[in-house]
Amino acid sequence: MNKDRPTFEQLCHAVLEGSASEADLEQIRERLRNSATDREAYYQQMQIHALLIWQNGRAAVPESLVLAPMDYSEKNNIIAFPFRRAVLAAAAAVTLLLGLAFWLVPDLNDRALSLAVQKGVSVDILASSESPYQVGQRVILERLELETGSLRFRISSGAVLDFEGPVSLEFLNPMRLRLERGSINTDVGNEAKGFVIETPTANVLDIGTRFGTSVCADGSTDIAVFEGEVQVYRAGLPLTQESRLATLVEGEAARMSARDAKLERVNMLTLKGGRLQVRGLNSPDSSVVLNVSDNIKQANFYRCYTIVSGGMAEGALASLSFKAYLQLKWHAIPGKPFPEELKGADLIGTFQSFAKRERGETSKNDISLDLSRPCAVYVLFDTQATPPEWLQRDFRDTGLRVRSGPWGKFAREVRDLDPDANGELNLTHSVWRRDVLSAATVKLGPPGNLGISYPYAMYGVAVKALD
Amino acid sequence: MDENMLDTSGPTPEFVQRLMASQSAMYAFIVSLLGGVNDADDVLQETNMKLCRRCALYDREQPFLRWAYTFARFEVMAHRKSKQRSRLVLDDELVVRMAGELEEYAEKADSRLKVLERCIERLNPRQRELISARYSRGEAVRDIAERLSRPENAMAALFYRLRKILADCVHSNIGKEGLA
């Protein structure tokens, strides 16, 4: 093959991404004219590309095809659960017919159509479980009460919301909603910067990010940022410099308490199934780890530990992304299975900046785990470093090894590392174990001995009940 | 098509149901003939309008999608005429030829979306994350490559392979129940 000629894969890529030059287009046309095999491959690529876009609600479905789960009216616009699918389908069909009437009756003007869609917010259903909606539907919502089940949808502004019951939401407009109870995860991408979530105690202004918001039973609001940043404001006030409480960036979490209206750090954030999502209020929490805390006393410090109940496995999230760090995950050593002993443990995500590097020294910080029952505590330690005294004293090296990665190539932790066969930078961790035979608080020390330069990774932690 | 043959009674619920069920397949058909998603939603809307206005022409004993594809093909051609000064991916001859070939695949095309969902579940976590980044979060392949410190060409090839895996999975499982 002529090295200067792009491959069919590259041509397809250029067409799909809209970056094809006129020369590229001429080449792909020539190939499609002359080769049935290339046409077949083109169909496959285009059709799957289109279906994936459709499935994720990124296709701009004609407004006239909007489906509502029930005949929409001022008095009857609360979505009750559960619905029967047959009723829903019939109602949807009737609504679609009403929409189609705009095409069929020429005298109906654009104003009538816009009035018909102004009352709620148009959303595309992306995923649904135990809800009356089906993937691919577009519905109009003004208010949503979900006791059980889960739903993911894209609002017409582009923001994607993901949640499970119980949750109570009011849709104020495509760029603003009110969360009255429950947890929601929001991904505004680049399209809905400026999206606002109101809660009883705070307003959260999104600046292009993914974040989770929970309104707890006492009315307090937890905010956790997974990518990008959000600004937190006092509830009930305009979004101004005066009402702004803090800016949170990825890897940070804070709570606006209902009692004293103060913003405070959230030490431990329970994630949903290892994904970058806050769990629903009724989702299972760790049955072993009651709390994770540390002795960091620093103003405006909001870094948090994450915990995923039973989440330790190949590909499990090791640490929340924070600025220069990618989303680090735990992996098996190449050619070996992931250690059976670790699988299913409750996984605690630590954060890399814990290994503070001011003046090139380690910090004096330690981590406390409040444990509710007999369990094995595992520390996953960077093998580049010398294990600190507390680790050698209280834990034993199991001989097991796992990897964390992929690390960004400019990360200080991997400056002496060569890329592996896949071109990725992964660190090897030794697995240390300590058995705790009753409910207790276990303290884990700093990752390195005091006073030494510490360009190594922060350790990971996992906890497994002893049954 | 006879522009004057408008239906005066309006689409029946059954027609609407078939139209709704065919939207994703019609969208994929239109995207294939346009050579991308730009303007595909406009063409789909025009096609829907034409289908509803001519719903009386539909023979309910015939496959709906194949009938709908014919309208979509005409709308693609009409759209091309209106965009003649813009850059078009395919030429007229290719569009006609490829539309004919795609129409052969119409059978069960409306169930592909459901099968595709199951096929995505079969991908490994890294593959699913890539699909999610590109199609759910809408990141460009170039940005994903940059974020993961991989060459764009390698990432493009990876996405090509992922779509191929999904296409093969959909093809092998379409019409089957209980895809695990």
Side-chain angles (χ1 to χ4, degrees):
Chain A
M1 185 183 296
N2 184 341
K3 282 184 180 176
D4 295 326
R5 285 174 69 89
T7 64
F8 189 72
E9 288 179 7
Q10 289 167 338
L11 291 171
C12 275
H13 167 68
V15 169
L16 289 174
E17 296 292 308
S19 59
S21 65
E22 194 49 54
D24 290 337
L25 293 179
E26 189 44 54
Q27 284 191 47
I28 198 165
R29 283 193 285 261
E30 184 188 338
R31 295 192 62 155
L32 293 174
R33 275 186 216 108
N34 299 327
S35 166
T37 308
D38 285 347
R39 284 200 300 282
E40 179 69 30
Y42 172 89
Y43 298 148
Q44 284 188 338
Q45 292 294 311
M46 279 290 172
Q47 302 257 307
I48 295 298
H49 178 70
L51 290 174
L52 287 168
I53 285 176
W54 182 273
Q55 182 196 41
N56 285 283
R58 290 196 173 271
V61 185
E63 207 56 66
S64 310
L65 272 176
V66 164
L67 308 178
M70 62 196 338
D71 193 5
Y72 199 88
S73 70
E74 289 281 0
K75 292 179 182 174
N76 195 16
N77 55 15
I78 297 175
I79 312 303
F81 290 81
F83 269 137
R84 289 285 174 268
R85 285 196 172 188
V87 174
L88 171 68
V94 168
T95 309
L96 178 56
L97 276 172
L98 290 174
L100 295 175
F102 288 102
W103 297 334
L104 302 172
V105 183
D107 290 342
L108 284 177
N109 56 28
D110 290 344
R111 187 169 160 270
L113 178 59
S114 66
L115 284 175
V117 298
Q118 264 178 357
K119 291 177 183 174
V121 170
S122 173
V123 306
D124 295 317
I125 305 299
L126 307 180
S128 170
S129 170
E130 295 178 47
S131 94
Y133 303 110
Q134 291 183 339
V135 174
Q137 277 188 318
R138 176 173 284 190
V139 299
I140 295 179
L141 299 176
E142 189 174 9
R143 188 170 171 77
L144 187 71
E145 303 275 354
L146 185 68
E147 288 303 325
T148 59
S150 64
L151 207 54
R152 182 158 69 100
F153 55 72
R154 184 188 307 281
I155 301 179
S156 53
S157 59
V160 174
L161 267 63
D162 201 321
F163 55 85
E164 57 190 35
V167 73
S168 299
L169 290 175
E170 183 179 359
F171 296 80
L172 304 174
N173 64 50
M175 289 294 286
R176 198 178 188 103
L177 65 79
R178 182 175 295 134
L179 174 63
E180 294 168 355
R181 67 166 178 156
S183 298
I184 59 173
N185 295 282
T186 311
D187 181 352
V188 307
N190 290 319
E191 300 164 8
K193 286 182 182 176
F195 190 82
V196 175
I197 293 183
E198 293 184 6
T199 76
T201 53
N203 290 332
V204 186
L205 171 66
D206 190 286
I207 316 175
T209 187
R210 285 204 292 157
F211 68 105
T213 315
S214 298
V215 173
C216 309
D218 67 353
S220 60
T221 302
D222 286 1
I223 304 137
V225 183
F226 304 126
E227 282 182 25
E229 64 182 69
V230 302
Q231 292 174 347
V232 184
Y233 295 81
R234 288 189 191 284
L237 295 174
L239 306 186
T240 62
Q241 190 69 32
E242 288 70 38
S243 64
R244 189 159 87 194
L245 295 166
T247 296
L248 301 179
V249 301
E250 57 199 16
E252 294 186 334
R255 172 171 300 152
M256 186 68 183
S257 70
R259 194 181 60 229
D260 51 11
K262 277 176 59 180
L263 194 68
E264 55 198 32
R265 177 185 173 207
V266 169
N267 279 316
M268 185 181 85
L269 180 70
T270 305
L271 295 181
K272 179 179 163 186
R275 290 188 292 166
L276 287 175
Q277 294 189 333
V278 291
R279 71 186 180 104
L281 296 185
N282 289 345
S283 293
D285 208 343
S286 169
S287 61
V288 187
V289 184
L290 297 177
N291 193 30
V292 183
S293 59
D294 58 34
N295 59 349
I296 298 175
K297 305 290 181 200
Q298 187 178 324
N300 302 320
F301 185 82
Y302 297 108
R303 299 300 309 278
C304 70
Y305 301 96
T306 57
I307 184 160
V308 181
S309 180
M312 189 48 149
E314 168 67 30
L317 192 69
S319 177
L320 279 184
S321 172
F322 181 66
K323 293 181 180 173
Y325 294 95
L326 298 174
Q327 288 172 16
L328 299 173
K329 294 180 176 176
W330 293 114
H331 298 289
I333 298 294
K336 294 186 176 178
F338 195 84
E340 205 61 40
E341 183 174 339
L342 284 178
K343 282 184 184 173
D346 289 358
L347 176 58
I348 296 168
T350 54
F351 44 87
Q352 294 306 321
S353 60
F354 189 89
K356 284 181 181 292
R357 299 184 191 88
E358 288 88 353
R359 297 179 301 278
E361 294 183 358
T362 55
S363 71
K364 297 175 183 175
N365 299 130
D366 51 37
I367 300 176
S368 293
L369 308 177
D370 294 341
L371 305 168
S372 64
R373 54 197 279 202
C375 59
V377 177
Y378 297 93
V379 170
L380 285 55
F381 193 79
D382 182 353
T383 53
Q384 298 178 114
T386 303
E389 186 269 334
W390 64 267
L391 186 62
Q392 299 200 51
R393 181 189 66 228
D394 299 336
F395 289 72
R396 65 178 171 81
D397 187 347
T398 61
L400 299 171
R401 298 291 182 267
V402 291
R403 297 193 306 163
S404 67
W407 290 76
K409 60 184 173 186
F410 299 116
R412 179 173 173 158
E413 291 86 344
V414 291
R415 65 180 182 184
D416 298 327
L417 211 62
D418 292 323
D420 62 16
N422 295 323
E424 292 180 345
L425 293 165
N426 289 288
L427 285 176
T428 301
H429 294 249
S430 51
V431 179
W432 297 69
R433 172 175 174 155
R434 173 182 170 184
D435 288 349
V436 180
L437 300 179
S438 62
T441 294
V442 168
K443 192 171 280 189
L444 309 176
N449 290 322
L450 295 179
I452 63 161
S453 176
Y454 199 82
Y456 309 119
M458 176 58 186
Y459 55 78
V461 182
V463 180
K464 200 170 191 179
L466 290 174
D467 290 322
Chain B
M1 294 287 164
D2 183 353
E3 286 291 333
N4 296 318
M5 280 196 70
L6 298 183
D7 182 67
T8 52
S9 60
T12 62
E14 182 194 352
F15 181 91
V16 172
Q17 196 174 23
R18 292 191 182 194
L19 180 60
M20 286 161 56
S22 302
Q23 290 294 292
S24 62
M26 287 167 61
Y27 180 74
F29 177 84
I30 290 165
V31 168
S32 301
L33 295 186
L34 289 177
V37 296
N38 285 348
D39 301 330
D41 46 332
D42 292 338
V43 176
L44 177 62
Q45 183 171 20
E46 286 299 318
T47 308
N48 285 331
M49 290 174 68
K50 295 282 167 55
L51 287 168
C52 289
R53 284 176 180 164
R54 290 164 183 77
C55 58
L57 295 174
Y58 173 59
D59 175 359
R60 57 193 295 179
E61 300 303 317
Q62 298 302 313
F64 180 87
L65 200 51
R66 187 179 277 256
W67 182 71
Y69 274 179
T70 309
F71 283 80
R73 181 212 293 214
F74 284 121
E75 285 311 313
V76 168
M77 295 302 282
H79 180 78
R80 290 169 58 81
K81 277 184 189 163
S82 71
K83 294 272 178 182
Q84 267 188 345
R85 291 192 177 179
S86 309
R87 204 173 54 159
L88 299 170
V89 174
L90 306 176
D91 57 29
D92 285 353
E93 187 190 332
L94 267 174
V95 169
V96 171
R97 182 176 181 178
M98 294 168 74
E101 289 179 350
L102 283 168
E103 281 165 19
E104 296 300 316
Y105 298 130
E107 193 183 359
K108 294 179 181 166
D110 49 1
S111 58
R112 280 184 308 193
L113 193 62
K114 200 165 280 182
V115 179
L116 177 63
E117 286 164 23
R118 302 275 178 79
C119 289
I120 290 170
E121 288 170 10
R122 288 178 159 190
L123 297 176
N124 68 41
R126 282 190 184 194
Q127 292 171 325
R128 279 202 301 273
E129 167 56 25
L130 285 173
I131 292 289
S132 173
R134 175 68 185 88
Y135 292 102
S136 178
R137 301 202 293 276
E139 289 182 59
V141 170
R142 177 182 302 165
D143 295 339
I144 298 170
E146 190 176 326
R147 178 164 58 81
L148 299 179
S149 305
R150 300 281 297 272
E152 185 184 352
N153 271 351
M155 191 55 69
L158 186 53
F159 271 100
Y160 185 96
R161 285 198 298 278
L162 279 175
R163 285 188 290 264
K164 174 88 169 64
I165 289 168
L166 290 172
D168 290 342
C169 174
V170 169
H171 178 72
S172 341
N173 290 286
I174 199 113
K176 291 182 188 172
E177 288 186 17
L179 174 64

